[in-house]
Every structure is written in structure tokens, then in C-alpha cells.
Amino acid sequence: MTAVHIKDWPTPIEIRRGTILDAALKDGVPVPYQCRSGECGSCKCRVITGRVEHDAHLPEALSEHEKSDGWVLACRARPKTDVEIDYDGKLEFDTPPAQQRRARVQQHERLNAEIVRLVLTVEGAAMPFFAGQFARLRFGNLPPRSYSMANLPGDRHLEFFIREMPGGAVSGHVARHLSVGDPVDIEGPFGNAYLRKSNPAAIIAVAGGSGLAPMLSIAREATLNQIPCPLHLYFGVRSESDLFAPGALVQMSRQNPRMSVHVVLSEQTPGQNRFRGGFPHEAIASDFTDLSPALIYSAGPPPMVAAVAETALALGAQTDNIYSDPFTSEEAEELRPSVGVIARGLGLLGRSMRL
Ligand SMILES: Cc1cc2nc3c(=O)[nH]c(=O)nc-3n(C[C@H](O)[C@H](O)[C@H](O)COP(=O)(O)OP(=O)(O)OC[C@H]3O[C@@H](n4cnc5c(N)ncnc54)[C@H](O)[C@@H]3O)c2cc1C
Ligand code: FES
């Protein structure tokens, strides 16, 4: 076990295994990050004392020069000794601090073959969070997993869309064995892909499958606060039968005249053109020529999130204006720590990106 002392954070965090970023997020330290796979550079920090082992990363995320200057990527760095690190003033102290809470299942509803809508009621006061953030849910003795809130902040009822993964330990349990009234331990909120209070020229919110959850929360919050800019919600799924929560989308579009919903199907039935075909990043590339003044949020399968970021950057978006939550598998992360999600994702694009 090693200890990581983060400048401006009062208590050291302890790491048994895994990266500095994993441990920081588990302890609720408001550190910056995006891809969690060594490709965006958002989690860069400087090691002041101590030694870390560094997994593979893209050179664009961290140059050799920066490395020799002591900079590391927290999502790739595993401490070998106790370390002291400095985020150079980039800790996000305005996010609500993580709490540990107890909740009970209030609603459990299957929305389609894969997606379950879960509503949890938190004991006591509402758990504060920002629209777009996620929580770590623990069901009994199963390992905790990250799931994003779909509801508006400030409510004691937390809504989640959970996709049943084939062979998934936790999502399988949620889909098949969880019942109304069951207890759930919640820790959160976490994540920095939350709705900013700035006033951009446009908001592009991109969801792949269950990634609709945080994008819905963002769209609900933007609608409630009457953010005065166009809001484009792209929702990518494989086929029409994989769509869910149409009621919430229709209701919001009615409430918010500046909002448009773009459903994109990656496996369109020939002759059926009620919705657009392809992937969300392709739809965005055909809809926009300049994203430089826009804020871009995306959540869902890592290859989709990577493709959206790549497309947004190619259309002039600023790196600082792109916020992503790739729904990485913790099991896969532990087994394949050195393989980049974006590199993997781009290699797969167009062939087997699964929404
Ligand atoms: C920040 C964040 C937010 C998330 N929010 C949501 C959410 O709102 N809704 C939701 O459904 N999920 C979300 N996830 C994913 C979720 O945390 C779990 O990874 C997922 O439910 C699978 O857990 P499991 O225990 O069922 O599968 P495991 O038992 O961990 O894995 C079973 C098998 O499925 C594979 N696998 C697991 N997850 C994935 C994946 N995402 N893509 C490809 N293969 C995978 C594993 O490699 C393994 O082979 C989020 C993840 C993160 C990091
Ligand atoms: S490089 Fe670490 S979060 Fe992207």
C-alpha cells in the first residue's frame, strides 16, 4: 500500500493497486480527467517526490519533455513509493463533495431487451450532484460500479439507466435479481463531465445507449435553467428497438424550443428512414462546420466517446470545452491497463462500434 499526497487536498489517499486517478476518484478528490486511458492529457499532474510506474499513453497526451520535467498522467501512473503530486491549481473544488449514502430501490422497470430503469430513494436529504455526474453503486456484496444519474439534481429519487452486459456481474444482478425495496449503498457524486454554468453558443450532448442517462440530466438542467442557446442531443443506438425513454425526450423537446433531438441508428433496416443512419459523430460532422464556440458533452461506449471528441476537435472545438464520460469497464481496465481506449476505439470505428 502506498500513500499519495495531493497538494491542496487535506488527507493522503491510499492505493493498494491501480492508478492515481482511480484512487483519487474513489476518495472523491475533484481531479480533472476525461478519457481515463492516456490519450487526452486532462489528468496531467506533476510528481514532486516519490516514484511512479507509467503505463502506455499517446505522446500527444504527455510529451517526453514533460515527462522529464516530472509530469505524469494520473490515469496511467501507478505509485511505486509514497508520492506527493501537484495538479497545478486544477482541482475542481466547486463540485459537491462525495458522500456515502444508503438508498432503497423504489422502481425497477425494464425499458427494452437490455436497459433497466432504476429509481433509488436516498435516505435523508437529497444527495447533491451536478447534472452529468455519476455515483458508485454497491448492491450487497458485489463490487461497486459507476452509474450516471439521469434526473435533475436536488431530488431524493435518483434515476439510472443500466444496460445489462453479457456476463456482467453487477448489471446482470440489477437486471435479473434486484427487487423494489432492496438496499443499495451509494457513493458520490463523481465526474467532471457536468453541465457548466457558462453561456456557450451551442451545447452538443451526445449519448450512446445507456449514455443517455447523464445527457438527459444535462438536457433537463439546461431546460430548467433556460440556458439561452441551442441544445442538440444526439442519441445513438443500434436499431429502433434499442431506443428508450422516448417520453422524456418528447416532453423536454416540448418544454425547450431550443432543443433538438437527433436519433441515429447504427444498424438501420433498409427502406426504413424514420431516423438517421450511422454513428453520432458522423451525424455531427454532417450537421456542423464549426464547433469552436460550442460545449460538447458525451457519454457511453468508449469508441463512440473517442470518435465524438476526435470529430469535435476536427471541427474546431477547444479541448477544454469537450467533457466526456467513457463508460469503461472496470474489469476490462484492470485486465488491460496499457491499451488505450481511444486508440482501440478508433481502430474499431466503423467496423464494430457497438452502441
Ligand atoms: C463514469 C462511468 C459511468 C457509467 N455510467 C453507466 C450508466 O449510466 N449506465 C450503464 O449501464 N453503465 C454505466 N457505466 C458502466 C458500468 O459502470 C459497468 O462497467 C457496467 O455496468 C458493467 O458492469 P458489470 O459488473 O455488469 O460487468 P463486468 O462483470 O465488470 O464485465 C462483464 C463483461 O462485460 C465487459 N464489459 C463490461 N462493461 C463494458 C463496457 N462498458 N463496454 C464493453 N464491455 C464491457 C467486461 O469486459 C466483461 O467481459 C459507467 C461507467 C463509468 C466508468
Ligand atoms: S490522459 Fe488521463 S484522463 Fe485522459
Side-chain angles (χ1 to χ4, degrees):
M1 172 116 64
T2 54
V4 177
H5 300 261
I6 301 178
K7 187 167 175 270
D8 299 329
W9 189 251
T11 46
I13 55 173
E14 295 189 333
I15 305 187
R16 206 174 287 278
R17 56 196 292 224
T19 66
I20 293 177
L21 179 64
D22 291 338
L25 291 178
K26 257 185 213 127
D27 274 23
V29 187
V31 290
Y33 72 94
Q34 275 186 41
C35 68
R36 293 178 83 166
S37 52
E39 290 152 68
C40 71
S42 309
C43 64
K44 218 175 278 177
C45 56
R46 195 199 288 262
V47 176
I48 310 294
T49 58
R51 207 160 45 80
V52 302
E53 184 181 84
H54 214 274
D55 294 335
H57 62 88
L58 288 186
E60 294 83 346
L62 183 73
S63 67
E64 285 306 315
H65 178 70
E66 288 173 313
K67 252 183 176 169
S68 62
D69 235 14
W71 292 91
V72 295
L73 299 173
C75 71
R76 304 277 88 188
R78 298 163 192 274
K80 291 282 120 196
T81 61
D82 287 358
V83 290
E84 191 186 345
I85 59 172
D86 185 357
Y87 273 93
D88 206 14
K90 285 196 296 178
L91 295 190
E92 303 207 23
F93 284 111
D94 57 345
T95 50
Q99 310 179 347
Q100 298 201 340
R101 304 291 292 271
R102 183 40 86 103
R104 290 209 177 260
V105 178
Q106 171 160 352
Q107 287 179 46
H108 181 281
E109 182 187 1
R110 197 172 260 283
L111 299 184
N112 63 28
E114 287 188 333
I115 303 284
V116 167
R117 174 176 176 268
L118 196 63
V119 178
L120 305 181
T121 306
V122 179
E123 286 177 5
M127 182 186 88
F129 70 93
F130 286 169
Q133 288 195 292
F134 63 93
R136 311 253 310 152
L137 305 188
R138 185 190 281 275
F139 303 90
N141 292 326
L142 290 169
R145 292 283 185 255
S146 304
Y147 294 107
S148 309
M149 282 70 79
N151 56 295
L152 276 168
D155 195 334
R156 282 180 61 224
H157 307 298
L158 300 177
E159 181 183 28
F160 299 91
F161 296 127
I162 297 184
R163 173 180 171 204
E164 183 178 4
M165 300 296 302
V170 175
S171 60
H173 170 80
V174 169
R176 293 174 189 277
H177 305 296
L178 198 69
S179 304
V180 169
D182 283 354
V184 184
D185 290 315
I186 303 188
E187 191 182 357
F190 301 113
N192 69 349
Y194 57 83
L195 181 66
R196 269 34 190 197
K197 297 220 164 19
S198 61
N199 193 5
I203 295 175
I204 316 288
V206 192
S210 58
L212 183 65
M215 296 303 117
L216 199 53
S217 184
I218 283 176
R220 283 172 162 158
E221 179 86 339
T223 301
L224 181 78
N225 293 338
Q226 302 186 346
I227 292 188
C229 71
L231 167 64
H232 296 272
L233 176 66
Y234 288 84
F235 182 22
V237 289
R238 265 165 293 144
S239 63
E240 212 171 327
S241 61
D242 296 309
L243 286 170
F244 58 93
L249 294 173
V250 169
Q251 189 193 8
M252 230 184 331
S253 306
R254 285 201 188 119
Q255 287 170 354
N256 185 348
R258 291 175 293 276
M259 175 168 161
S260 35
V261 177
H262 311 260
V263 170
V264 188
L265 306 182
S266 60
E267 294 170 12
Q268 209 173 30
T269 317
Q272 185 272 78
N273 51 10
R274 200 152 81 90
F275 298 112
R276 300 168 75 168
F279 293 106
H281 70 284
E282 295 168 338
I284 292 168
S286 81
D287 292 350
F288 296 93
T289 51
D290 178 15
L291 286 181
S292 55
L295 275 187
I296 292 101
Y297 298 94
S298 72
M304 185 215 77
V305 166
V308 168
E310 185 93 344
T311 303
L313 288 171
L315 291 172
Q318 313 293 309
T319 318
D320 288 355
N321 287 345
I322 303 174
Y323 299 98
S324 326
D325 256 337
F327 285 4
T328 43
S329 147
E330 284 161 68
E331 194 191 63
E333 282 289 298
E334 281 180 9
L335 291 174
R336 291 174 287 160
S338 62
V339 182
V341 169
I342 291 184
R344 275 202 317 268
L346 292 178
L348 292 172
L349 259 188
R351 286 191 283 125
S352 60
M353 176 158 43
R354 199 166 182 275
L355 293 169

